[in-house]
Amino acid sequence: MRSSILIAASLLLSATGADAQTMPYPPADTAPVPWVQVIAPGKAPRIRAAEAENISGAYEMSNGWYLRVLTAPRYIEAIIDDEKPIRLAAVAPYRFASGDGNITMDFHRGADGQDMRMSYVPDLRLGQRVVLESRLAQR
């Protein structure tokens, strides 16, 4: 008798777990799509001289990396430690991004404008973005 009660109870518990696994998916959007517009990216905005002066230099990152930033008229080159330079295009004043959007750098942050934030995707197979903060090193 006890074994039949235990079996019935275990079947009941497993049945409630099965409901959680068979929840319906969200409905698909059935609205018609009359057209799709594709816009090519425009030319990167020019980096102003004052902006270039404010962001060029050396940064000690919060994880111990040493970052050097070199500026050009429409992009920056970021060199972390002794790695190859990473080219980031200007997308807005004091904001730069890699061509694939996986690396971004925001400068002119903080109360005195000397802080920067870098974010990047370390592995495209993972849903992870790393965010690092830094302050412009003394010149």
Side-chain angles (χ1 to χ4, degrees):
M1 180 73 173
R2 281 189 173 174
S3 63
S4 62
I5 292 174
L6 289 175
I7 291 173
S10 66
L11 288 175
L12 182 62
L13 287 175
S14 65
T16 58
D19 287 341
Q21 294 175 1
T22 59
M23 290 180 58
Y25 291 104
D29 185 8
T30 57
V33 179
W35 52 274
V36 175
Q37 182 177 6
V38 178
I39 300 173
K43 201 174 194 180
R46 281 188 75 78
I47 301 171
R48 296 184 180 153
E51 181 182 357
E53 187 177 325
N54 285 335
I55 64 175
S56 294
Y59 296 83
E60 291 183 9
M61 304 301 290
S62 58
N63 66 346
W65 289 348
Y66 179 77
L67 171 72
R68 288 176 290 149
V69 176
L70 309 172
T71 59
R74 297 193 187 278
Y75 64 87
I76 63 171
E77 284 195 344
I79 304 166
I80 301 171
D81 293 334
D82 293 325
E83 298 295 313
K84 292 181 182 179
I86 302 167
R87 184 170 287 187
L88 304 168
V91 294
Y94 297 103
R95 183 166 176 78
F96 300 85
S98 61
D100 59 6
N102 289 331
I103 303 170
T104 61
M105 288 188 181
D106 296 302
F107 295 88
H108 203 60
R109 298 174 53 86
D112 58 359
Q114 295 293 306
D115 297 343
M116 68 86 68
R117 176 184 291 159
M118 173 183 168
S119 70
Y120 68 98
V121 177
D123 187 344
L124 296 177
R125 297 172 294 173
L126 303 174
Q128 177 183 15
R129 181 169 281 276
V130 176
V131 178
L132 302 171
E133 304 269 336
S134 182
R135 183 163 187 79
L136 183 64
Q138 296 297 323
R139 298 180 195 212

